[in-house]
Amino acid sequence: MTTLRLRPEGPADTAPVRRVLTAAFARPDVATPPEVRLVEDLRGTDAWIPELAMVAEYGGEVVGYALLTRVQVRDDDQPAPALALGPVAVAPHRQRIGHGTAVVQAALDAATELGERLVVVLGDPAYYRRFGFTRADRMGLTSPWSGLGDPWQALVLPASTSGDGLVPRGEVLFPPPWSKV
Ligand SMILES: CC(C)(COP(=O)(O)OP(=O)(O)OC[C@H]1O[C@@H](n2cnc3c(N)ncnc32)[C@H](O)[C@@H]1OP(=O)(O)O)[C@@H](O)C(=O)NCCC(=O)NCCS
């Protein structure tokens, strides 16, 4: 039986990941969706955490992607590390059969293993609430998107054996590639 394989991306995945993102975020008015550029601009920066760029592979084909990258929370002027989730994408021919849920959960589990405590996301609450995300502004987290209300969300990861166990609050600072999306 073919099963879904969840694993961090490797060098051979760059083109397949681009294909998945391009297909999932396709719009008639743009040849390259901004989400493709976001991933490619983040890759190789300090924000990139190789273990947290997760692909879902089915029958040898990359069909899904969930990316967690580094952001900082300005907490009492002292930056504290957190993660941003996104983009999340599943190839259109494999959507709505659980791959998106599986690849996001795998990325969150890997982050917990690494001792990470906080993840933010901008997206549809109807989708992200299944992972436990709730409104980030109510957790004292702000960003250029906090005025949007419901879509600006955050998740405190379960306590892990590593890390200091503290959850930062304050302004979430995204690295420059995010300003283009
Ligand atoms: C969003 C996306 C990643 C979900 O992946 P998926 O594999 O189709 O999702 P799953 O099969 O794990 O989950 C399906 C569930 O999510 C819901 N869902 C799917 N896309 C959704 C969306 N855009 N908004 C809200 N709910 C959505 C479905 O209704 C379904 O709900 P159910 O479990 O209650 O039946 C995928 O549809 C996709 O790539 N979309 C285009 C890119 C995109 O919008 N990415 C998210 C940016 S925030």
Side-chain angles (χ1 to χ4, degrees):
M1 197 183 81
T2 311
T3 54
L4 192 69
R5 190 173 166 222
L6 301 158
R7 57 170 178 79
E9 71 163 51
D13 296 316
T14 303
V17 164
R18 186 184 173 95
R19 277 197 289 277
V20 169
L21 292 168
T22 303
F25 289 101
R27 292 205 318 247
D29 54 326
V30 284
T32 305
E35 291 81 1
V36 171
R37 212 152 276 147
L38 173 64
V39 172
E40 295 184 352
D41 288 351
L42 283 168
R43 212 182 257 122
T45 69
D46 288 352
W48 192 266
I49 303 168
E51 298 93 324
L52 302 183
M54 201 61 73
V55 300
E57 188 185 306
Y58 185 80
E61 179 196 1
V62 173
V63 295
Y65 194 62
L67 181 64
L68 289 168
T69 51
R70 177 66 68 219
V71 292
Q72 300 290 333
V73 183
R74 194 154 48 199
D75 188 357
D76 290 336
D77 288 336
Q78 201 69 321
L83 297 169
L85 173 60
V88 174
V90 171
H93 69 288
R94 299 293 302 174
Q95 287 179 4
R96 302 203 168 226
I97 49 175
H99 294 348
T101 303
V103 74
V104 169
Q105 195 57 60
L108 296 173
D109 290 348
T112 302
E113 282 293 310
L114 290 180
E116 298 289 338
R117 290 294 284 142
L118 183 68
V119 182
V120 294
V121 71
L122 186 72
D124 189 337
Y127 189 65
Y128 290 103
R129 83 164 58 96
R130 72 193 58 212
F131 307 103
F133 283 92
T134 55
R135 274 181 67 149
D137 56 348
R138 294 186 181 149
M139 296 167 62
L141 295 162
T142 61
S143 78
W145 303 289
S146 19
L148 295 175
D150 290 345
W152 169 238
Q153 298 157 80
L155 171 70
V156 176
L157 293 171
S160 68
T161 49
S162 51
D164 62 12
L166 298 176
V167 179
R169 283 160 187 273
E171 184 189 3
V172 182
L173 305 170
F174 288 78
W178 285 94
S179 60
K180 296 183 203 154
V181 290

